[in-house]
Amino acid sequence: MAKKSKIAADLRRREVVARYAERRAELKEMLRHPETRAEALQGLQKLPRDASPTRLRNRDVVDGRPRAYNRKFGLSRVRLREMAHRGELPGVSKASW
């Protein structure tokens, strides 16, 4: 299980990204035009660092583990295996051949 502070920081970051997404998109569009480029760059630099979506980290929805994340299920490899063996994931069965 990940530290509670890391999970909380990630949630806070996601809120900041969502809050500034529209403004960020406007500034990114302004970057395309040479006459407004300098203004757009200055505007982007004034935004909080955590407003950038690249600072988000995919985490396991159950316990917040940051590594070995599986996008299809939103789980880490460890949790995915446990839940699949217990039959808690619909449509997933153990392979046998």
Side-chain angles (χ1 to χ4, degrees):
M1 171 112 187
K3 288 169 52 173
K4 301 258 188 217
S5 60
K6 291 290 187 180
I7 295 170
D10 188 58
L11 290 175
R12 191 174 55 247
R13 234 179 246 125
R14 288 181 188 281
E15 290 171 4
V16 172
V17 167
R19 187 179 326 135
Y20 287 99
E22 191 175 325
R23 176 71 179 139
R24 222 177 143 70
E26 291 170 3
L27 291 169
K28 287 285 195 176
E29 183 59 37
M30 287 173 60
L31 281 175
R32 293 181 176 196
H33 308 293
E35 60 274 1
T36 60
R37 187 172 175 80
E39 182 186 340
L41 281 172
Q42 204 170 31
L44 279 171
Q45 288 173 353
K46 286 185 179 180
L47 292 179
R49 276 192 178 164
D50 284 345
S52 173
T54 58
R55 291 177 65 95
L56 294 178
R57 176 87 180 172
N58 289 328
R59 289 184 172 271
D60 186 328
V61 294
V62 177
D63 64 2
R65 189 176 199 275
R67 306 284 180 109
Y69 178 81
N70 187 314
R71 283 185 181 198
K72 186 174 182 180
F73 298 99
L75 302 169
S76 66
R77 64 176 175 80
V78 177
R79 185 71 49 183
L80 177 69
R81 189 166 189 264
E82 286 175 4
M83 291 177 77
H85 282 308
R86 281 188 261 142
E88 294 175 359
L89 298 175
V92 177
S93 60
K94 187 175 177 187
S96 60
W97 59 89

